[in-house]
Amino acid sequence: GQFQYLADIKIDNNEIFTLDILLHRIQVFDLSGHFLYSFETGLNSEKSVSYPLGFAISLHEKIFFLDVPYGNQIFDRKGKFIR
């Protein structure tokens, strides 16, 4: 994975989640740094994360984004929008 502006990193269930706010995406790596998958935080949908500032991963494997201007957005671990 490549980054333009790495803004946040979290480790959960032996996976490293990285947030790039310029590329509007989460990239996920294993603990050895091998790329696993990525998903966009949303640029084209009505329910999109336009300017993600940070994120957290819950015990129930939901990802919470702090976003401007939409406020909090919730996705599952694979990037499916919840609310």
Side-chain angles (χ1 to χ4, degrees):
Q2 295 184 349
F3 304 100
Q4 285 191 10
Y5 191 85
L6 183 59
D8 204 352
I9 298 172
K10 304 284 188 261
I11 298 175
D12 185 64
N13 289 337
N14 295 318
E15 294 178 332
I16 302 168
F17 289 75
T18 63
L19 172 63
D20 188 313
I21 60 174
L22 292 182
L23 294 176
H24 301 267
R25 73 177 175 194
I26 291 282
Q27 294 186 81
V28 183
F29 302 87
D30 65 19
L31 293 178
S32 297
H34 298 106
F35 177 80
L36 299 174
Y37 62 92
S38 67
F39 62 89
E40 292 193 16
T41 55
L43 295 172
N44 299 318
S45 66
E46 183 178 325
K47 298 284 188 181
S48 66
V49 177
S50 59
Y51 298 102
L53 300 176
F55 72 103
I57 303 172
S58 76
L59 294 176
H60 303 289
E61 301 202 355
K62 294 179 181 166
I63 299 176
F64 295 81
F65 287 94
L66 174 59
D67 172 69
V68 176
Y70 298 109
N72 293 324
Q73 302 278 324
I74 304 172
F75 292 80
D76 70 12
R77 287 177 64 91
K78 299 293 184 181
K80 180 182 174 190
F81 178 77
I82 296 173
R83 65 179 172 95

